[in-house]
Amino acid sequence: MKLPKFDYACPATIEEAVALLARADGTARPISGGQSLMPMLAFRLVQPSLLVDLRHVPGLAAITIGNDGVHLGAKVRWCDIETSAALQAAQPILTAAVRHIAHHQIRTRGTIGGSIAHADPAAEMPCVAVLCDAEIEIVGSAGKRKIPATSFFKGPLMTALQPDELITGIRFPAWPAQRRWAFEEFARRRGDFALAGIAMFFDMRDDKASNVHIAAFGIGDTPLRLANAEAALNNRPLTEAVIKACCRAGHQEVDPPDDIHGSSAYRRGLVDYLLGQSLRRLAGHSAKAGANAH
Amino acid sequence: MRTDVEINGKLFSFEVEPRTTLADCLRYKAKLTGTHVSCAHGFCGACTVLVDGQPVRSCLMLAVQADQCSVLTIEGISNDDDLTPLQKSFRKCHAAQCGFCSPGILMSAHALLTSEPDADEDRVREVLSGHLCRCTGYIPIVQAILEARPAYKKQQSELP
Amino acid sequence: MTKVNSFIGAPIERVEDLRLLRGKGTFIDDVERDGMVRAVILRSNVAHGILRNVDTSAARQMPGVVAVLTARDIGTPMPTIPLRHMTVPDVVRPYEQPVIAATKVRYVGEPLAVVLAATHEEAEDALEHIQVEIEPFPAVVSCRAFQPPAALLFEPTGTNCAITYHAKRGSGPTDFPDCYVRRERFTTNRHTAAPIELRGLLAEWDDGNGRVTVNGAAKVPFTTRRILSKLIGLPIEAIDMIECDVGGGFGVRGEFFPEDFLIPFAARLLKRPVKWIEDFREHLMATNHSREYDADIELVCKRDGTLLALRGHVFADIGAYLRSTANVGPRNIAQFMSGPYRIPEIDIDVSLMMTNKSPTGTYRGPGRFEGDYMRERLLDLAAADLGIDRVEFRRRNLVTADEMPYQLSSISPPEVAAYLDSGNYSQTLTHCLEQFDWETKSKRQGLQDDGRYWGVAIGCFVEGGGSGPLENARMVVGTDGSIAVYVGSAIVGQGVETVMAQISADSLGIDMAHIRVFHGSTTYLPDGYGSSHSRATVMAGSAITLAAEELKKAVRKSAALRLNCAEADVVLRDTTAHGPNGSSVTWSELASEELAGFGTFKHKKNTYAYGSQAVQIAVNPGTGHIEVVDYVSTADVGRVVNPLTLKGQVIGAMVQGLGGTLLEHLCYAEDGQLLVGSHADYLMPSATDFPNLRAFVKGEYPSPNNPLGVKGGGEGGLICTAAVISNALASALSEFGVSPTSLPLSPPRVWEMIHQPR
């Protein structure tokens, strides 16, 4: 599992990086933390002609928290998110999700930009980005553009990025302090890719859940907003009947694959269960049997 | 390609292919074979070293990406005269059997206790979960790391 | 202050740690030789078919490539890898693995070519440029013999069943009127040992002397040398097998694989050192698989719970070839399925079925992990049906000390008998129940307040170990005051250097600091039988006691001459020999070639460590996840040499057992593709999975079968694991009426038991 041959460049500016990608006509790949790309190279699943290392490109590693939301530079590492108390206060679902990502020794190098660009269907951050209606900021030889996360993920390991484009940052909309939220996944061991996971938030208005957002990952080619599950909960109180209806809707709504790690029926069952766990905890009912023993 | 890396306090200059991993550079170029390679795809942790103070899987890093970085390996936290307090604790608790996964675990443990000498059992297990060991079943390793905490607390209190 | 005769039994810290904890061990990948070439093996990605052509012409032109070898370079007759023991050569020979594929391929992973290049990277680059033509056949992926198979792996034999062994005890009734009979079908999951250090070899050819040195030997270096000698056509004396530090074995490393021929062969052909290091994806398809069985087993007992018979037919999924230890697990599952229990009538057949999967071999507790699972499940099913307490059911059927040596079933062909040697099984069962707090924990059963289903289970096991036929030890006094002890045992991380030093020190009556242990390599002794079947402490330890006696005799003789006194007047204190009138001489002053002792320990009787295990689990019905809340193991190993290392073995084995029961599975597709290629798919236990394990070891009932009274104890920790977890699950989910009869007990499978019962 030695890596295939490739050239390596370490540009000093983003413009140089984009130019290198453009010149390679689709055969080059950017690399930052490398935690997703390096295993692909080790298995020779990708064989780029050139790696463009972003390590010296400035201005991509900041965490900016403001009234209009949170902005994370593409090179922000998982450990930076984990250790930012300000971020935990401003956007707690991010910190909660990061705790499930791989292991401590991966989180010292893995970046949010890398994970979003890699688009593994069982990864946590693409789901959180979709859930929160985040905006992906991109630069390429055609200039800058922004893509909503909800249209960014096209399939397993496929995104809307052109070969000469780089993610520069992700913007998350403002997050009210009283927002109710949950992030739950089930993985075989701590740090494994989820067999299924859900993320949700809603705002309480007159004792009813409003602005309901529910997303699931590990259950299809991309993270999915569960529109039917949202509809079952939106503008309704968190009664047991409503919770059950929401879980049932989520259960019907996903169409997960069968694979060696679990059947489609099993993954549906997980979505149902994880939705139930989250909602009952948020409703203040006792949530028995924590989903994640890890 | 040239890459200049400080390893265990000494400056090295290597001529490598871009595709050479930091792990292979340490083992075959610097001849520091204490860092071991097993899975080569970032799961087992046998290749763990510290890069700029942080534990990193050296099989998931290119040697050229370590240019201008400071790397610490198992050789850098050992000395010839005696075992360090962490190593003594491992020996006392029988935390190594075949010893193949041990250098990587010692690096993670050293980094953890240096920054968190009060780490509790849950935290130790969490950090250790990034390493695979097939021989010990982990229980003696957790015990060894916890028992090494006083030595690190003492070191921390002695810092100016 | 020297402490004499006190090293055995003490928790001595390991001498190996001094280098291993500093990263100063020398593992095979740390070894280099000038001018060496790197080997990478092209492996079949088709499970079954005719190998039409392997075109290496493009690959040979690639940068750095020195040569590409195929079957053509090895020629005819193509060497095949023999079974190591208990073989019926004429029957099994057709199923032996050729060292490289020549006419057919039979499993994904089978070697097709060897690329030799200046660097590992260049060798791997060349792999993609080898053109392979295979005419595919249907793949056989099931070991059940009832339907005609999809294809024959070995057409000339006309069958995919290589051999059937028969385990038999008693010659009594085959008919049991008014008795309870329970028959079940069980399947166990294919998995493997997966040591963290992957396999590797570095072979050096000395053209002037016609000798080859193979670095990276493990487990059974003398046997590997014998096999290589025959296959490569060199006398045994022309081959040295050198053991380095070894990163775990568990049975799979060190057996004879195709690479053990191909790498030395390449070195001789190229007249250059050749180094090969496996990678993980390769390891999963190229190293021995294990543990996959499909069995129909029937338990018969009286209505009062007295066990009468154990009968049935086991199908072993062997894989594509009978490799060196392919027959051991299958023989064990049948011969030892009765475990520590008194079962007068035993009649179990085990058929070795060839399938288009990676070949199998021994993995810790081979056949015992699987057999105990089947037997203990049947015991719980019977106990429930008969309304008898599970603990009492077991206790009344445990073999007692006054029945020993107790004859177990014999297995043939060839016929091998076995006898339980010593012990108080009931006492260890009680100890386990107490430490576990069975009384309290067994009350917590079924759905509990936390929304999970809780259950407990208990099981009893025996661990066969200390296998013969012999082992050698040699002790030599050095002029520097050290005593070198050479043993035929191999290391895998189990602490041989420390344990053997303890035994040596006590046998000689000297301080352990004087001892240096040398192991494994064929350069140290004329012959040895390595480390397998938990034999090192028993066999090498016993050989050491004999060598020590010889060495002390030699010291007395030499001292008597030097001090001009009678041998009977010489008194040994640590490493000084004292004569009358205050004269003395140190051993190092006497050191010469003759100041040595050699010992050979021979036997034909294995030892049986034994114990009990209890487990409490909590099952999450929403996810199917099983939490191991408490897992206790108690064992008696006859005599404890080093309680620290022994306990380490037990805990390590318990976690491996849990991995095999809950996490690990080498799955195949219908076309014979191995679906598991990385750590993302082959899930091994990590530090957060099983934190709640407790192990208790003692040595109160020595084995009569060796001078030390020790019993092999490195495998027992996992023999009962699948048994107790499965029984605890059945107990936890009893309201669903589920009976787990297949492994692994992964979350989806457990979930299906609850939500989709058949």
Side-chain angles (χ1 to χ4, degrees):
Chain A
M1 280 162 60
K2 297 299 177 191
L3 275 48
K5 262 187 149 66
F6 48 78
D7 288 326
Y8 172 87
C10 202
T13 66
I14 191 109
E15 292 79 13
E16 236 181 280
V18 169
L20 284 162
L21 291 173
R23 211 176 309 139
D25 199 25
T27 65
R29 288 244 183 180
I31 186 168
S32 186
Q35 305 301 283
S36 298
L37 184 58
M38 287 291 280
M40 304 264 284
L41 290 166
F43 279 98
R44 301 198 175 204
L45 293 172
V46 295
Q47 305 214 20
S49 64
L50 168 72
L51 286 189
V52 178
D53 195 341
L54 304 177
R55 62 187 294 232
H56 292 320
V57 173
L60 298 180
I63 298 176
T64 314
I65 301 168
N67 293 328
D68 57 345
V70 158
H71 184 274
L72 300 174
K75 279 167 46 175
V76 167
R77 299 166 304 168
W78 303 129
C79 60
D80 301 323
I81 296 175
E82 255 184 308
T83 53
S84 168
L87 195 53
Q88 165 139 41
Q91 193 99 17
I93 198 170
L94 279 177
T95 316
V98 167
R99 292 216 173 93
H100 290 275
I101 298 178
H103 296 282
H104 177 66
Q105 298 83 353
I106 297 272
R107 297 201 290 266
T108 54
R109 286 195 51 83
T111 63
I112 188 166
S115 171
I116 301 283
H118 185 65
D120 190 303
E124 291 80 359
M125 200 49 64
C127 181
V128 174
V130 163
L131 178 82
C132 296
D133 292 313
E135 250 184 354
I136 319 290
E137 295 165 354
I138 292 162
V139 69
S141 33
K144 293 186 188 176
R145 64 184 182 125
K146 295 181 192 180
I147 306 182
T150 45
S151 15
F152 183 77
F153 302 100
K154 300 295 187 194
L157 309 186
M158 295 188 287
T159 69
L161 278 177
Q162 294 301 310
D164 66 338
E165 288 185 313
L166 289 166
I167 298 176
T168 54
I170 298 122
R171 174 167 297 286
F172 290 84
W175 181 274
Q178 314 87 327
R179 174 159 285 173
R180 308 278 190 96
W181 61 273
F183 185 92
E184 298 258 6
E185 70 172 59
F186 179 70
R188 295 289 295 275
R189 301 169 302 178
R190 170 94 62 105
D192 283 344
F193 280 113
L195 291 184
I198 61 100
M200 68 164 70
F201 71 76
F202 50 84
D203 303 311
M204 293 306 285
R205 200 163 295 151
D206 305 324
D207 289 329
K208 298 197 179 83
S210 74
N211 190 26
V212 175
H213 282 56
I214 302 177
F217 61 102
I219 42 73
D221 291 343
T222 64
L224 280 179
R225 283 279 296 273
L226 302 183
N228 296 345
E230 292 172 354
L233 180 60
N234 217 8
N235 298 318
R236 288 181 168 77
L238 270 86
T239 63
E240 186 56 34
V242 167
I243 290 174
K244 280 206 170 81
C246 179
C247 294
R248 210 177 312 127
H251 181 270
Q252 323 279 45
E253 201 163 358
V254 297
D255 186 20
D258 283 318
D259 68 19
I260 62 169
H261 293 297
S263 65
S264 178
Y266 174 68
R267 286 188 158 93
R268 269 187 219 270
L270 280 182
V271 169
D272 187 327
Y273 173 75
L274 294 170
L275 286 173
Q277 282 295 106
S278 306
L279 290 169
R280 287 186 183 93
R281 189 173 40 77
L282 289 171
H285 308 174
S286 62
K288 299 179 182 180
N292 227 345
H294 317 301
Chain B
M1 273 198 88
R2 180 172 149 172
T3 184
D4 296 327
V5 190
E6 182 197 88
I7 305 173
N8 301 331
K10 185 173 157 205
L11 278 167
F12 286 78
S13 192
F14 300 112
E15 195 51 47
V16 291
E17 282 190 286
R19 63 170 161 173
T20 303
T21 60
L22 176 60
D24 282 356
C25 183
L26 290 169
R27 289 180 53 73
Y28 305 123
K29 298 275 187 187
K31 306 293 186 195
L32 295 167
T33 58
T35 303
H36 297 145
V37 173
S38 175
C39 76
H41 60 287
F43 271 85
C44 73
C47 67
T48 304
V49 298
L50 303 193
V51 175
D52 296 336
Q54 302 240 326
V56 149
R57 293 167 173 349
S58 62
C59 74
L60 292 189
M61 196 169 170
L62 300 171
V64 291
Q65 287 184 298
D67 184 60
Q68 307 305 312
C69 290
S70 174
V71 176
L72 193 62
T73 71
I74 183 69
E75 291 88 349
I77 64 165
S78 303
N79 64 72
D80 287 334
D81 307 321
D82 199 4
L83 295 181
T84 63
L86 181 63
Q87 288 163 336
K88 280 191 176 144
S89 191
F90 267 57
R91 189 174 186 219
K92 175 169 169 276
C93 297
H94 189 33
Q97 289 187 25
C98 79
F100 197 78
C101 72
S102 307
I105 289 177
L106 285 161
M107 297 315 295
S108 273
H110 176 73
L112 173 66
L113 294 182
T114 301
S115 58
E116 298 172 48
D118 280 315
D120 66 9
E121 185 173 331
D122 280 348
R123 179 66 175 150
V124 169
R125 279 189 186 278
E126 187 197 341
V127 170
L128 190 58
S129 74
H131 290 269
L132 289 178
C133 171
R134 205 51 164 158
C135 296
T136 67
Y138 306 103
I139 287 171
I141 300 176
V142 173
Q143 190 190 354
I145 296 172
L146 292 173
E147 284 190 20
R149 288 179 302 181
Y152 280 82
K153 271 189 254 199
K154 184 162 179 281
Q155 263 172 42
Q156 200 188 51
S157 71
E158 282 166 359
L159 286 171
Chain C
M1 184 65 187
T2 304
K3 282 191 278 186
V4 172
N5 281 326
S6 64
F7 293 105
I8 293 179
I12 307 280
E13 291 181 2
R14 297 189 338 160
V15 304
E16 297 89 330
D17 289 2
L18 295 171
R19 67 180 185 275
L20 295 175
L21 294 175
R22 287 182 166 109
K24 294 233 173 292
T26 303
F27 296 87
I28 184 58
D29 192 33
D30 303 335
V31 181
E32 295 190 323
R33 294 286 184 264
D34 289 336
M36 71 182 184
V37 290
R38 298 297 304 257
V40 169
I41 297 176
L42 177 71
R43 299 182 181 277
S44 175
N45 59 8
V46 173
H48 193 197
I50 304 265
L51 183 61
R52 290 275 172 227
N53 194 29
V54 181
D55 181 356
T56 63
S57 48
R60 276 183 269 126
Q61 306 306 316
M62 293 284 292
V65 173
V66 170
V68 184
L69 308 181
T70 62
R72 204 169 296 139
D73 297 285
I74 290 156
T76 53
M78 171 64 65
T80 60
I81 301 168
L83 277 186
R84 208 155 52 74
H85 42 196
M86 298 180 295
T87 184
V88 185
D90 295 333
V91 174
V92 304
R93 199 169 290 122
Y95 303 96
E96 289 177 1
Q97 178 162 11
V99 295
I100 198 165
T103 52
K104 273 192 88 174
V105 297
R106 295 185 175 88
Y107 67 100
V108 167
E110 184 161 5
L112 299 177
V114 186
V115 177
L116 297 140
T119 66
H120 192 155
E121 288 81 355
E122 286 167 321
E124 215 177 305
D125 290 343
L127 283 182
E128 290 157 32
H129 295 266
I130 302 177
Q131 308 295 329
V132 177
E133 279 170 55
I134 296 174
E135 185 189 308
F137 285 173
V140 177
V141 294
S142 166
C143 62
R144 274 304 231 196
F146 297 133
Q147 297 83 17
L152 284 175
L153 274 79
F154 301 86
E155 289 85 348
T157 69
T159 175
N160 286 337
C161 176
I163 187 170
T164 296
Y165 294 114
H166 312 281
K168 193 101 178 74
R169 187 188 197 280
S171 50
T174 51
D175 191 35
F176 298 92
D178 297 326
C179 287
Y180 170 87
V181 178
R182 181 78 191 232
R183 186 184 174 88
E184 289 290 330
R185 178 178 173 187
F186 297 102
T187 60
T188 56
N189 50 326
R190 199 178 199 81
H191 57 284
T192 183
I196 304 300
E197 186 202 12
L198 306 176
R199 294 181 301 141
L201 296 167
L202 198 164
E204 306 171 73
W205 174 250
D206 172 357
D207 205 36
N209 292 302
R211 305 191 81 256
V212 70
T213 300
V214 181
N215 302 280
K219 192 182 183 189
V220 284
F222 289 88
T223 308
T224 304
R225 182 174 67 162
R226 277 193 283 276
I227 298 173
L228 181 61
S229 159
K230 286 208 183 78
L231 299 191
I232 207 171
L234 284 171
I236 288 179
E237 301 72 36
I239 302 173
D240 287 331
M241 309 291 300
I242 307 296
E243 184 181 79
C244 310
D245 280 313
V246 176
F250 315 113
V252 305
R253 185 202 312 276
E255 290 299 330
F256 205 97
F257 289 90
E259 300 81 25
D260 293 284
F261 171 89
L262 294 169
I263 304 307
F265 177 86
R268 181 175 64 176
L269 190 68
L270 297 182
K271 302 199 205 313
R272 288 174 70 172
V274 174
K275 182 172 178 180
W276 167 76
I277 305 291
E278 192 176 55
D279 67 44
F280 188 68
R281 177 180 46 192
E282 183 179 17
H283 179 85
L284 288 176
M285 63 175 76
T287 309
N288 280 340
H289 288 190
S290 201
R291 300 260 196 264
E292 186 169 11
Y293 297 91
D294 189 336
D296 297 306
I297 305 293
E298 186 177 270
L299 184 78
V300 184
C301 64
K302 292 189 193 164
R303 301 245 148 223
D304 69 357
T306 306
L307 293 173
L308 293 174
L310 194 58
R311 312 190 280 202
H313 200 131
V314 180
F315 294 92
D317 192 315
I318 294 297
Y321 297 102
L322 282 181
R323 271 209 290 245
S324 60
T325 55
N327 58 345
V328 176
R331 287 171 70 95
N332 286 352
I333 195 176
Q335 187 176 23
F336 301 108
M337 195 180 285
S338 54
Y341 302 101
R342 184 188 311 108
I343 307 183
E345 299 294 324
I346 298 176
D347 189 348
I348 302 174
D349 287 345
V350 54
S351 295
L352 279 58
M353 307 302 296
M354 311 311 291
T355 58
N356 294 110
K357 301 178 187 173
S358 297
T360 54
T362 52
Y363 168 32
R364 208 171 196 172
R368 303 178 199 272
F369 170 93
E370 304 88 315
D372 271 37
Y373 155 70
M374 297 177 188
R375 174 201 70 243
E376 293 286 335
R377 271 303 292 136
L378 285 165
L379 291 180
D380 262 19
L381 287 166
D385 284 347
L386 294 172
I388 300 174
D389 173 74
R390 297 183 270 173
V391 175
E392 278 321 298
F393 191 94
R394 287 171 168 82
R395 196 189 290 282
R396 71 178 67 156
N397 286 294
L398 285 172
V399 172
T400 58
D402 41 285
E403 294 172 270
M404 298 181 191
Y406 175 86
Q407 184 162 24
L408 296 165
S409 65
S410 297
I411 188 147
S412 57
E415 175 145 348
V416 172
Y419 298 81
L420 295 175
D421 54 353
S422 69
N424 187 339
Y425 299 166
S426 184
Q427 182 197 73
T428 311
L429 171 60
T430 302
H431 187 208
C432 187
L433 295 164
E434 280 165 4
Q435 291 296 341
F436 179 73
D437 192 6
W438 179 266
E439 207 181 300
T440 309
K441 290 191 163 99
S442 58
K443 295 192 172 84
R444 193 165 197 202
Q445 194 267 320
L447 184 59
Q448 302 294 309
D449 284 342
D450 66 349
R452 295 189 294 174
Y453 292 83
W454 290 60
V456 296
I458 184 94
C460 301
F461 67 91
V462 290
E463 170 188 349
S467 62
L470 65 88
E471 198 49 78
N472 293 320
R474 180 165 66 100
M475 295 178 157
V476 183
V477 179
T479 49
D480 63 348
S482 70
I483 319 291
V485 180
Y486 300 91
V487 289
S489 307
I491 59 164
V492 288
Q494 77 278 51
V496 157
E497 288 168 29
T498 305
V499 169
M500 298 307 163
Q502 289 172 259
I503 297 171
S504 301
D506 276 5
S507 302
L508 292 170
I510 67 175
D511 194 331
M512 193 175 137
H514 298 301
I515 308 282
R516 267 208 70 195
V517 176
F518 298 87
H519 48 75
S521 302
T522 58
T523 45
Y524 295 142
L525 290 165
D527 204 359
Y529 285 79
S531 293
S532 63
H533 202 177
S534 292
R535 67 190 300 276
T537 305
V538 171
M539 298 303 290
S542 298
I544 283 171
T545 64
L546 300 172
E549 289 313 305
E550 292 305 304
L551 179 60
K552 285 192 285 192
K553 273 192 207 145
V555 170
R556 282 205 176 81
K557 185 168 171 186
S558 185
L561 276 172
R562 181 72 70 90
L563 300 174
N564 204 21
C565 65
E567 275 182 46
D569 292 334
V570 174
V571 175
L572 301 178
R573 266 186 232 119
D574 197 37
T575 51
T576 302
H578 297 264
N581 311 320
S583 61
S584 70
V585 64
T586 64
W587 292 20
S588 57
E589 286 169 322
L590 296 170
S592 70
E593 284 303 303
E594 281 102 74
L595 209 60
F598 188 88
T600 298
F601 180 67
K602 285 186 191 169
H603 89 71
K604 281 188 176 166
K605 292 186 191 159
N606 293 355
T607 62
Y608 291 88
Y610 59 90
S612 295
Q613 293 195 336
V615 75
Q616 180 180 45
I617 64 170
V619 185
N620 183 324
T623 61
H625 180 261
I626 295 176
E627 182 192 345
V628 178
V629 177
D630 193 18
Y631 180 19
V632 171
S633 184
T634 57
D636 191 304
V637 298
R639 184 175 177 196
V640 180
V641 177
N642 189 324
L644 189 62
T645 58
L646 176 60
K647 190 168 162 190
Q649 292 298 306
V650 178
I651 297 279
M654 289 163 81
V655 173
Q656 267 191 329
L658 289 168
T661 305
L662 297 169
L663 286 167
E664 299 170 44
H665 196 178
L666 292 163
C667 322
Y668 279 83
E670 285 304 305
D671 66 353
Q673 283 300 319
L674 178 58
L675 295 172
V676 172
S678 76
H679 277 295
D681 298 321
Y682 194 73
L683 305 177
M684 288 153 59
S686 72
T688 43
D689 291 304
F690 309 118
N692 305 316
L693 268 50
R694 298 183 286 141
F696 302 89
V697 290
K698 61 183 174 68
E700 280 176 33
Y701 294 89
S703 175
N705 296 344
N706 63 77
L708 288 166
V710 300
K711 300 180 181 180
E715 299 172 70
L718 58 58
I719 289 177
C720 238
T721 310
V724 292
I725 294 285
S726 301
N727 277 338
L729 182 66
S731 171
L733 299 183
S734 59
E735 71 183 71
F736 297 95
V738 304
S739 177
T741 52
S742 79
L743 298 174
L745 294 172
S746 61
R749 285 166 175 238
V750 173
W751 183 90
E752 273 155 29
M753 286 180 206
I754 298 169
H755 297 273
Q756 296 179 331
R758 246 155 272 201

